[in-house]
Amino acid sequence: CEDGSIKVWEAEAGKAVQHLLRHHGWITCLYYWHEAKLLVSTSNDGLLITWGSGSEPHQVISGSNPIYCASWNSKREQIVIGLNKAVKVFGVTGTTLSTPVLCV
């Protein structure tokens, strides 16, 4: 959404169960991190956010550049994000992202 909001729906009931507000731009990537039971979102506002079961962020990582894509590397337990002319790789400990372990 261009307003930065994320709505989580209960598929069987067909109704919204959460409305997550923190981003200030287009949501560029959204995926469910099954092992940690967290929702991961990125946006062109430069934020990478992990969301737990509540409506408050679990962790917020702020950058100065828009984030265009993100992916989970299950083999190495890393989150990889794509920025303008750059890639950042974050290590994961439990359910917490570390500072970038690689910036290219």
Side-chain angles (χ1 to χ4, degrees):
C1 294
E2 72 180 81
D3 66 356
S5 68
I6 300 167
K7 291 184 181 176
V8 179
W9 291 77
E10 161 97 33
E12 291 179 11
K15 60 181 175 179
V17 293
Q18 281 183 304
H19 192 189
L20 309 174
L21 299 168
R22 182 64 189 260
H23 287 290
H24 302 286
W26 287 91
I27 304 298
T28 56
C29 184
L30 185 67
Y31 67 92
Y32 183 67
W33 178 9
H34 179 73
E35 295 84 0
K37 297 188 178 8
L38 294 172
L39 188 64
V40 177
S41 63
T42 62
S43 175
N44 66 358
D45 63 5
L47 295 178
L48 183 154
I49 302 176
T50 58
W51 305 87
S53 59
S55 59
E56 291 299 314
H58 173 71
Q59 185 176 5
V60 178
I61 296 176
S62 181
S64 58
N65 295 315
I67 300 172
Y68 296 109
C69 60
S71 183
W72 169 246
N73 179 344
S74 59
K75 196 171 194 177
R76 296 183 182 227
E77 296 191 345
Q78 297 171 326
I79 291 182
V80 182
I81 62 170
L83 307 148
N84 189 23
K85 299 181 182 180
V87 172
K88 287 187 180 181
V89 179
F90 294 87
V92 177
T93 304
T95 61
T96 304
L97 305 179
S98 67
T99 55
V101 294
L102 177 67
C103 298
V104 182

